[in-house]
Amino acid sequence: MIDAGGTSILLVEDDAETRHQVATLLERHGYQVAEASDAESALAKFADGRPDLILLDLGLPDRDGLDVVDRVRAAGTTPILVLSARDREVDKVLALEAGADDYLAKPFGMAELQARIGAILRRAMPAGTDSEQPGIVRIGDLELDPVSHSVRVGGRPVHLTPLEFEVLRVLAEHAGQLVTYGRLLRAVWGTAYGEEAHYVHVYVGQIRRKIRRADPDGHLANLIVPEPGVGYRVSAEIDPARG
Ligand code: CA
């Protein structure tokens, strides 16, 4: 559980009832919440208060929520979690490609919302909390070292090619968050490859096979979760195997 103390959230939602419910829950968990009901007031409050995180409804009365994503991204890296009734894959992709950090379709459960906020805030925290081995990413039995380019599962080495390693590194460093095909492709292959989603499927398939060989009990079987038509998400909450 992340310590919400002092974390400020700008909640942008035009539906008063939903806004009130979400704001009440967030405040109960210790977040400081500012509310906006349209894009203009959202951008004004963003400029004023520079929140730690923005929860953004896409369907706003005055402007498209994607405009808000664009404007916030032009100003910096403030994390954005999109909340929207739009369930079309193209909308998720557009929001994520515009720079939103994750996407939660309405209706959503409060536990799901908290998990997504926690994942985004952990990601946004300065690195180096593991002072003995900076940069090492651990998820359950998986250990990924970006410096030595090595991957271990339960201490057993997993031999990935450099491109497989990069795909897994980008996903693992965004654990808990949805990473679109386009974002993965640009991060790993470069800007010319934004449309080649089949590359990603092939590499993720290879990574899964290699991890499975080092993980005979299947502790990491659900490590990489597909979001069909959009991208992949690495689970943030996998307990290490015992004993
Ligand atoms: Ca709306």
Side-chain angles (χ1 to χ4, degrees):
M1 190 81 206
I2 193 148
D3 177 15
T7 301
S8 59
I9 293 181
L10 174 58
L11 171 60
V12 187
E13 166 65 75
D14 60 320
D15 181 79
E17 191 181 329
T18 305
R19 194 175 66 241
H20 178 71
Q21 283 176 356
V22 174
T24 303
L25 178 113
L26 292 171
E27 283 166 352
R28 199 179 298 154
H29 283 83
Y31 296 100
Q32 294 172 17
V33 183
E35 299 179 35
S37 58
D38 58 36
E40 283 303 326
S41 59
L43 290 169
K45 288 191 178 178
F46 167 71
D48 272 359
R50 286 302 172 118
D52 297 313
L53 175 84
I54 300 175
L55 296 182
L56 177 66
D57 177 29
L58 285 186
L60 296 171
D62 55 341
R63 285 210 249 162
D64 195 298
L66 289 174
D67 289 349
V68 177
V69 177
D70 283 339
R71 295 275 296 274
V72 169
R73 270 299 151 271
T77 59
T78 304
I80 301 171
L81 173 57
V82 164
L83 310 173
S84 179
R86 302 179 189 184
D87 56 0
R88 294 187 310 157
E89 285 166 357
V90 63
D91 289 320
K92 297 185 196 179
V93 172
L94 282 175
L96 295 163
E97 300 279 290
D101 294 81
D102 206 349
Y103 189 108
L104 196 52
K106 294 178 186 172
F108 50 82
M110 285 301 168
E112 182 76 3
L113 174 62
Q114 282 175 257
R116 297 293 180 84
I117 290 174
I120 289 176
L121 291 176
R122 276 195 295 276
R123 166 77 187 137
M125 276 177 197
T129 45
D130 188 344
S131 57
E132 284 181 26
Q133 295 170 294
I136 295 209
V137 179
R138 287 191 186 82
I139 302 167
D141 290 346
L142 178 79
E143 190 176 292
L144 183 146
D145 183 346
V147 177
S148 66
H149 280 221
S150 62
V151 173
R152 287 173 178 273
V153 169
R156 294 175 291 277
V158 178
H159 299 291
L160 300 181
T161 67
L163 279 175
E164 290 163 3
F165 179 85
E166 282 304 306
V167 170
L168 182 60
R169 182 183 63 77
V170 172
L171 287 171
E173 287 183 348
H174 295 81
Q177 288 178 248
L178 178 53
V179 182
T180 62
Y181 304 130
R183 193 166 171 187
L184 263 175
L185 285 160
R186 284 190 297 277
V188 176
W189 281 270
T191 50
Y193 291 85
E195 305 297 321
E196 314 279 344
H198 58 279
Y199 282 33
V200 177
H201 296 310
V202 170
Y203 279 81
V204 167
Q206 289 167 346
I207 293 164
R208 283 172 147 169
R209 276 190 290 280
K210 289 182 176 182
I211 288 178
R212 199 182 310 142
R213 282 203 290 271
D215 177 39
D217 298 326
H219 295 294
L220 294 174
N222 297 317
L223 177 72
I224 306 176
V225 181
E227 297 254 357
V230 181
Y232 287 94
R233 177 195 307 276
V234 156
S235 303
E237 316 281 344
I238 291 180
D239 292 331
R242 276 162 239 267

